[in-house]
Amino acid sequence: MEYTIIEGNYAKIGVSKMADTVYFTFEGEKEQTCAILLYTGNGQETRIPVPDAYCIGALRSVGIRGLKWKKLHYNYEIDGKVVFDQHARKVIGREKWADEGRLKEHYPVYAGFDFTEFDWCGDRFPEIPREQMVMYKLNVRSFTMDAGMTGKKKGTFAGVMEKIPYLKELGVTSLEFMPVYEFEELMPEEEKKQNLDSWSENAKEGFLLDDGAAGPAYKVNCWGYVPGDYYAPKASYAAGREPSLELKALIRELHKNQMECVLEMYFDEHMNQNIAVEILRYWVTEYHVDGFHLLGAALPVDAMAQDLILRRTKLFAEGFSRRLFREETSYPHLFVYNEDFLYAARKLLSRNNGSMPELLNQLKRQNPVFGFVNYVAGNNGYTLADLFCYVQKHNEANGEDNRDGILWNFSCNGGAEGATRKRSIMEYRRKQMRNAVVLVLAGQGVPIFLAGDEFGNSQQGNNNCYCQDNKTGWVNWSSLKRCQPYARFVRQMIAFRRRHPILSSSKPMQMCDYASKGYPDLSYHGENAWVVSQSLYPHAVGILYYGAYALREDGTEDDFIYIGLNFHVEEQHLALPKLPRKLRWHLAVNTADKDEPFCEPPKLMDKMPQIKMPPQAVIILVGKEKQ
């Protein structure tokens, strides 16, 4: 092997190439003995020492001129120990998902070279305004493993790409991906299961891997919320041999459809915070990623929010420091992503000590600087369907004696735990799912749905499916055919939100007529117009949005929107405020109507001072001219 050694490029950590020189820059103190280990396809190893002088701070950097890198892999050696490059753009040895061969001692994993050019075809970031966003969270593997997916595309980026037309029709604007960077999905157990016959069928299908010997057993980590190789897309998520090209093609196709890519990034407390910022920069510049959901401990959220390269990248976190509250910009890109809305909604939906004022505040939460994310179900807990089918979590198949997962779910089952054929219970559950969807889409914050929730996907009461690489954890696409009426309702509600921008206004509601338009931008109503019960827990409330405070895309003012909420088990009455002349109330949504919960077009209503609210239901009226 002929080559020339020169001092490297300290400005770029990892492996880079310029002309005929490949640069290796990695963490290594001057006092440490460092070398580059190069491997050929047949396992032949070449060791290239890195001179001690090639060091600035704690970075070692060397350039190798004339290196024939295309058929090579590499690792580092530091003080005699082989070390994997945490900045590698490609991982060799994890191409197969949950490969039991990796359990063997000394199984080889190498860093790979990835200098492949990709034609972005003039790609641009969609930069969808937050008031137009509808998010959808998915796991690449779980989303695409169902039998209805194309064979070779199962569990891959290509499988997700196949679903873009479906997601576009649903009304989704932004996909949130659970970790797609390289992580080790095989997790060693402390103790092996002694009685394999006692495992559930789900466990046998993919919960544990077992070699039949007396050695350790292994779980499969389907989600990836562990430290990983953050610069490399997950090799087993690729249908072919180039995961970087497949992920870039997916993102390019999303952008062509005016859809965004948001990646979840998990960093633990040991993560170097400067490197964490650099990782986000890398995914934005190299992969055209539109945003990040930041998870973990000791996150440098403020540094990320103020970084100039990330200035137009959407950042989602549990919170931001108050000193950022005043930094209004031309492109707001910060979003508070927490469970405040989830619990406010769930407690009322399940009649579990809920507070109407708390929910009303969550529905209207908005800030000039920060956006908010609203959801009722996520991967960390029940699916939306299971939220109304189970009171107790059923995580037995996880092998942790049902001790894992969220304990307090604020769920309800309608009178039977799990599957039932009783029509009244089944209809109650469908109504509650419609109620939840309306609440999420009626809030000012950005709505987000968990993959499959739009058609009632179930995990059979498992609220912590991180290790269920089987039909329990996979999205069951056959449910889409069985639940067409509900799936159609979700599509209609997403479209309704898009047609009525007053619901998603990025401006905080003032609860008064601050622009002298004739009505407050937002007001609440009880049995009498403009008056709400003084009780801390009113059974029902009417919410009036004045559409003149929001403009449609064509520049016209939005309609009056009245949302009636009744979480009581009995019928309630709510007052209807008088509309200006020539305008009449039209019924758009009645979640209690099992046959036609969504009216298209809205139905003209008789003139009346009050509306009867069915038990545990939501009604939406539109105030507009009689057609």
Side-chain angles (χ1 to χ4, degrees):
M1 185 182 293
E2 296 182 2
Y3 55 83
T4 302
I5 297 294
I6 62 173
E7 189 166 7
N9 175 15
Y10 299 94
K12 194 170 185 178
I13 303 178
V15 173
S16 58
K17 185 174 74 75
M18 183 177 295
D20 66 340
T21 303
V22 178
Y23 295 94
F24 297 80
T25 303
F26 57 97
E27 183 178 348
E29 299 287 351
K30 182 178 292 187
E31 293 78 10
Q32 293 178 311
T33 300
C34 301
I36 298 169
L37 304 178
L38 298 173
Y39 309 91
T40 62
N42 59 11
Q44 184 179 354
E45 178 184 309
T46 300
R47 184 179 185 274
I48 302 177
V50 177
D52 295 345
Y54 292 176
C55 180
I56 294 180
L59 283 181
R60 304 291 289 268
S61 188
V62 62
I64 304 180
R65 184 172 294 159
L67 181 66
K68 307 299 182 182
W69 55 269
K70 291 185 178 181
K71 295 184 179 181
L72 297 175
H73 311 318
Y74 73 96
N75 280 321
Y76 295 128
E77 182 187 273
I78 300 179
D79 287 343
K81 182 180 179 181
V82 178
V83 177
F84 182 82
D85 181 10
Q86 296 298 316
H87 292 80
R89 295 188 176 196
K90 188 176 184 178
V91 177
I92 308 299
R94 292 190 186 142
E95 292 81 3
K96 182 180 178 181
W97 172 265
D99 182 4
E100 294 183 59
R102 297 206 300 274
L103 306 182
K104 299 177 182 178
E105 191 175 1
H106 305 306
Y107 180 88
V109 176
Y110 308 110
F113 298 98
D114 186 1
F115 303 131
T116 309
E117 296 292 331
F118 181 77
D119 185 1
W120 283 101
C121 300
D123 176 72
R124 291 291 181 269
F125 298 94
E127 295 189 352
I128 298 171
R130 70 188 190 195
E131 60 269 20
Q132 297 177 15
M133 290 174 63
V134 175
M135 297 181 67
Y136 188 93
K137 184 174 183 178
L138 62 87
N139 175 281
V140 169
R141 182 168 174 84
S142 301
F143 187 66
T144 60
M145 282 300 295
D146 187 71
M149 296 295 298
T150 304
K152 291 184 178 180
K153 296 181 179 179
K154 287 185 177 182
T156 68
F157 299 124
V160 177
M161 188 184 299
E162 198 172 78
K163 287 294 184 182
I164 288 178
Y166 162 80
L167 295 169
K168 183 74 172 178
E169 182 183 4
L170 179 61
V172 171
T173 67
S174 310
L175 294 189
E176 178 184 343
F177 291 86
M178 294 167 70
V180 300
Y181 50 79
E182 188 62 67
F183 62 89
E184 177 54 75
E185 64 270 17
L186 297 179
M187 301 184 299
E189 288 271 83
E190 292 183 1
E191 296 182 2
K192 187 175 180 179
K193 293 290 183 182
Q194 299 298 318
N195 185 2
L196 302 183
D197 294 334
S198 67
W199 292 0
S200 70
E201 289 302 315
N202 286 335
K204 292 177 184 178
E205 287 180 29
F207 152 54
L208 292 176
L209 294 176
D210 182 81
D211 58 5
Y218 290 82
K219 280 186 180 180
V220 177
N221 176 2
C222 305
W223 291 354
Y225 296 128
V226 292
D229 304 310
Y230 294 104
Y231 290 83
K234 189 155 183 57
S236 60
Y237 284 175
R241 302 182 63 181
E242 298 296 338
S244 64
L245 296 183
E246 291 190 25
L247 179 53
K248 288 175 182 178
L250 170 59
I251 295 173
R252 183 182 62 189
E253 190 64 22
L254 287 172
H255 289 180
K256 284 182 180 178
N257 285 272
Q258 283 299 296
M259 300 171 72
E260 296 175 315
C261 171
V262 176
L263 301 185
E264 284 194 327
M265 302 297 291
Y266 173 85
F267 301 119
D268 68 10
E269 65 275 11
H270 303 294
M271 186 68 192
N272 182 305
Q273 296 195 352
N274 293 322
I275 292 179
V277 175
E278 179 57 36
I279 288 170
L280 301 195
R281 288 178 172 181
Y282 168 77
W283 283 95
V284 170
T285 56
E286 186 70 22
Y287 284 86
H288 293 200
V289 168
D290 302 282
F292 301 97
H293 182 188
L294 305 170
L295 301 169
L299 296 171
V301 174
D302 282 12
M304 294 170 173
Q306 294 176 317
D307 185 83
L308 296 182
I309 289 181
L310 304 177
R311 180 60 197 79
R312 301 183 75 86
T313 300
K314 293 175 178 175
L315 301 179
F316 302 81
E318 284 200 10
F320 300 88
S321 67
R322 297 195 62 84
R323 66 191 184 91
L324 294 177
F325 271 63
R326 300 176 182 176
E327 296 189 9
E328 291 190 46
T329 59
S330 57
Y331 182 72
H333 70 128
L334 306 180
F335 296 81
V336 175
Y337 194 142
N338 58 33
E339 296 179 334
D340 291 353
F341 184 95
L342 178 147
Y343 284 112
R346 281 192 184 185
K347 286 187 286 186
L348 279 170
L349 288 166
S350 64
R351 294 187 54 76
N352 195 331
N353 199 31
S355 165
M356 184 70 81
E358 179 185 5
L359 177 64
L360 296 178
N361 284 332
Q362 291 299 318
L363 287 170
K364 70 179 182 67
R365 64 175 179 169
Q366 196 61 284
N367 183 278
V369 177
F370 302 105
F372 293 87
V373 176
N374 295 341
Y375 63 103
V376 173
N379 63 287
N380 188 25
Y382 285 135
T383 67
L384 188 58
D386 288 354
L387 185 62
F388 304 111
C389 292
Y390 299 90
V391 172
Q392 303 297 328
K393 58 187 172 71
H394 297 270
N395 300 355
E396 291 82 5
N398 292 359
E400 300 174 35
D401 297 325
N402 205 31
R403 291 175 296 179
D404 63 306
I406 297 173
L407 184 61
W408 298 104
N409 293 279
F410 296 97
S411 59
C412 56
N413 61 23
E417 188 76 354
T420 181
R421 293 185 178 181
K422 195 169 184 179
R423 290 186 178 181
S424 60
I425 295 178
M426 293 172 64
E427 182 48 47
Y428 167 80
R429 292 172 175 177
R430 285 190 285 264
K431 181 179 70 172
Q432 288 291 71
M433 290 169 64
R434 292 192 291 266
N435 287 340
V437 167
V438 172
L439 290 181
V440 170
L441 290 170
Q444 278 185 262
V446 176
I448 183 169
F449 292 95
L450 180 66
D453 275 355
E454 74 275 16
F455 52 78
N457 185 66
S458 173
Q459 295 173 173
Q460 289 76 55
N462 191 316
N463 76 348
N464 188 31
C465 270
Y466 77 101
C467 59
Q468 294 298 319
D469 185 30
N470 49 56
K471 292 180 180 179
T472 297
W474 299 340
V475 174
N476 182 6
W477 287 97
S478 62
S479 298
L480 179 58
K481 296 180 180 179
R482 296 196 305 268
C483 301
Q484 270 301 323
Y486 169 69
R488 181 170 59 253
F489 177 81
V490 175
R491 289 196 305 272
Q492 291 170 324
M493 277 303 308
I494 292 175
F496 182 85
R497 176 185 175 90
R498 186 170 60 248
R499 290 196 301 270
H500 296 287
I502 188 64
L503 297 176
S504 58
S505 175
S506 60
K507 298 178 181 179
M509 294 294 177
Q510 302 298 313
M511 303 288 292
C512 65
D513 187 16
Y514 61 90
S516 300
K517 293 179 178 290
Y519 289 78
D521 53 359
L522 173 66
S523 56
Y524 301 137
H525 308 267
E527 292 187 11
N528 298 302
W530 311 103
V531 179
V532 181
S533 170
Q534 295 300 311
S535 169
L536 290 175
Y537 305 101
H539 295 148
V541 168
I543 306 172
L544 178 64
Y545 292 93
Y546 184 27
Y549 277 92
L551 298 179
R552 300 186 179 94
E553 292 182 3
D554 62 4
T556 60
E557 294 180 351
D558 198 358
D559 302 312
F560 284 84
I561 303 293
Y562 182 93
I563 302 177
L565 305 176
N566 181 18
F567 297 106
H568 198 260
V569 295
E570 297 178 351
E571 182 182 273
Q572 302 289 304
H573 292 78
L574 292 174
L576 291 177
K578 289 184 178 180
L579 294 172
R581 290 184 178 181
K582 297 183 179 180
L583 299 188
R584 295 281 298 278
W585 287 117
H586 295 70
L587 177 65
V589 175
N590 180 0
T591 62
D593 188 335
K594 63 180 181 180
D595 297 319
E596 192 179 12
F598 191 94
C599 301
E600 186 65 55
K603 295 181 179 179
L604 178 66
M605 297 180 62
D606 296 332
K607 287 186 177 181
M608 52 187 176
Q610 287 187 330
I611 184 173
K612 292 181 180 179
M613 288 294 305
Q616 293 179 276
V618 181
I619 285 180
I620 300 180
L621 308 179
V622 178
K624 62 178 185 176
E625 291 188 13
K626 179 180 177 181
Q627 300 298 318

